[in-house]
């Protein structure tokens, strides 16, 4: 019986060491994945905040006050074409 214990104990110690080492490596990988997820979420949040500030700044730079004169209104995206027509030579021509 003593010989069996002497034969089993080194193998049992080796298996315990290997299982402990594997569990340590798996735990370390899990912790790295959690840390990577948290860091990437933080980086995405900071990038979105910077993007929002940049877009708000661009909107403030391009907003011009609306003028009563349609020719001077630079803030309007669409200008009516009816005001662009020169009305000095328009006449009604009768058809007989």
């Amino acid at each position: 019986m003593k010989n069996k214990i002497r034969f089993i104990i080194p193998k049992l110690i080796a298996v315990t060491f290997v299982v402990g080492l594997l569990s340590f490596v798996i735990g370390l990988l899990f912790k790295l994945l959690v840390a990577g997820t948290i860091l990437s979420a933080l980086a995405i949040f900071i990038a979105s905040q910077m993007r929002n500030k940049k877009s708000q700044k661009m909107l403030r730079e391009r907003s011009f006050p609306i003028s009563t004169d349609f020719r001077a209104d630079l803030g309007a995206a669409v200008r009516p074409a009816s005001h662009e027509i020169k009305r000095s030579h328009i006449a009604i021509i009768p058809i007989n």
Side-chain angles (χ1 to χ4, degrees):
M1 187 72 169
K2 236 180 184 179
N3 288 335
K4 280 188 172 182
I5 292 176
R6 286 184 184 170
F7 182 71
I8 292 176
I9 288 182
K11 289 183 180 180
L12 190 60
I13 290 173
V15 169
T16 305
F17 179 74
V18 169
V19 169
L21 188 63
L22 286 176
S23 65
F24 175 74
V25 169
I26 291 172
L28 186 65
L29 286 175
F30 177 74
K31 288 176 186 177
L32 287 174
L33 285 174
V34 169
T37 303
I38 291 172
L39 287 176
S40 65
L42 186 64
I44 289 171
F45 177 73
I46 291 171
S48 69
Q49 291 298 320
M50 291 175 65
R51 192 178 320 119
N52 286 341
K53 286 182 183 179
K54 184 178 178 182
S55 66
Q56 287 174 358
K57 183 180 177 185
M58 288 175 64
L59 286 175
R60 276 184 271 143
E61 288 177 355
R62 293 188 181 188
S63 62
F64 299 106
I66 298 175
S67 174
T68 55
D69 185 15
F70 68 91
R71 290 180 208 96
D73 186 19
L74 300 174
V78 178
R79 297 184 186 144
S82 61
H83 297 290
E84 300 286 331
I85 299 172
K86 296 181 180 178
R87 299 184 183 257
S88 60
H89 299 293
I90 296 177
I92 299 174
I93 301 172
I95 299 175
N96 291 336

